[in-house]
Amino acid sequence: MKLIGYFRSSAAFRVRIALNYKDIKVEHASRHLRKGEQRAPDYVALNPQKLVPALVLDSGEVLTQSLAILEYLEEIHPEPPLLPKDPVGRARVRALALIVSADVHPIQNLRVMAYLRDKFGQTEESAFAWSRHWIETGFEAYEATIAKDQRTGAFSHGDTPTFADLCLAPQVFNAQRFKVDMARYPTIQRIHAACMQHPAFDAAQPSRQPDAEL
């Protein structure tokens, strides 16, 4: 398999963590989002959304959307699991993952910020303020959901990583870039620290990718 991503992409970050956690070996390739390489015709043929990641299977099939890719990896490599065994637990984990992946990340990513600047004349500072607002809104909900729930353990659900943590950790990286005051979210901070001590998360972080711009 081949994973096409970008070192700073939160969505690609999620998939890299899952691949590491399940010890699935893939070829890695990159499309530089700031240079517009995702809009090249050969990539658009693979992923008409012009987004990363894309997972190219050995069969030639192409999977897109990070959560769909995570579900696929969980099905073909169920061990070690990234979803709880009980249906309610699985629903909780998916809901936490969606707070980040559906309600926060899409409205503060690169193309949205570029649209704010190019079409509405927003400055870099005001575009950053937009992003901070939506990250803080999502983190307030995430923190309130996990802070006093007995199902929260070392990680967002129990004592092993789940889809929720795979979405949360990359978003914390974004929050730091946008100067979010993380002291307001102590449970998220604690879980993020636990995540980044795990080899699967550490190896997947942006600075450790071959295409990273230091």
Side-chain angles (χ1 to χ4, degrees):
M1 294 189 292
K2 178 167 71 172
L3 179 68
I4 305 171
Y6 176 59
F7 79 104
R8 197 173 277 161
S9 162
S10 297
F13 192 168
R14 299 166 195 157
V15 176
R16 293 196 301 263
I17 298 167
L19 292 168
N20 294 341
Y21 189 71
K22 293 177 177 291
D23 195 26
I24 301 171
K25 306 301 182 188
V26 299
E27 176 188 351
H28 288 271
S30 175
R31 292 285 166 152
H32 197 297
L33 300 186
R34 289 190 176 274
K35 294 180 180 178
E37 293 178 354
Q38 73 278 18
R39 295 190 289 272
D42 64 328
Y43 188 70
V44 175
L46 292 177
N47 185 357
Q49 276 196 291
K50 309 171 192 173
L51 299 173
V52 296
L55 184 68
V56 183
L57 307 184
D58 292 337
S59 65
E61 293 283 344
V62 180
L63 304 182
T64 61
Q65 290 291 342
S66 62
L67 263 64
I69 294 172
L70 294 185
E71 295 279 2
Y72 171 77
L73 296 176
E74 186 74 0
E75 290 182 10
I76 65 166
H77 288 274
E79 297 296 331
L82 282 167
L83 286 171
K85 294 187 181 301
D86 64 295
V88 173
R90 293 163 84 90
R92 178 177 184 260
V93 164
R94 288 184 171 112
L96 288 169
L98 287 166
I99 290 175
V100 174
S101 64
D103 297 336
V104 177
H105 174 246
I107 52 177
Q108 54 85 91
N109 67 8
L110 183 65
R111 64 178 182 168
V112 170
M113 292 187 68
Y115 191 75
L116 289 172
R117 290 191 296 267
D118 298 343
K119 300 297 183 182
F120 294 99
Q122 296 298 305
T123 64
E124 191 75 5
E125 182 180 353
S126 60
F128 266 51
W130 163 281
S131 294
R132 273 196 304 274
H133 170 76
W134 293 114
I135 294 170
E136 290 167 353
T137 299
F139 275 8
E140 287 168 9
Y142 201 107
E143 178 76 18
T145 302
I146 64 174
K148 297 181 180 179
D149 194 314
Q150 293 183 345
R151 293 169 293 184
T152 303
F155 295 91
S156 296
H157 188 93
D159 293 325
T160 57
T162 64
F163 284 6
D165 307 297
L166 271 59
C167 292
L168 179 65
Q171 190 59 58
V172 172
F173 273 72
N174 276 350
Q176 293 166 343
R177 286 179 54 228
F178 292 124
K179 304 186 186 309
V180 171
D181 179 8
M182 292 303 301
R184 296 168 54 188
Y185 315 107
T187 316
I188 289 176
Q189 275 196 306
R190 175 182 64 75
I191 290 169
H192 180 253
C195 287
M196 298 317 299
Q197 290 173 4
H198 194 291
F201 286 76
D202 180 57
Q205 66 173 289
S207 65
R208 298 194 183 281
Q209 305 317 303
D211 61 326
E213 298 172 347
L214 302 179

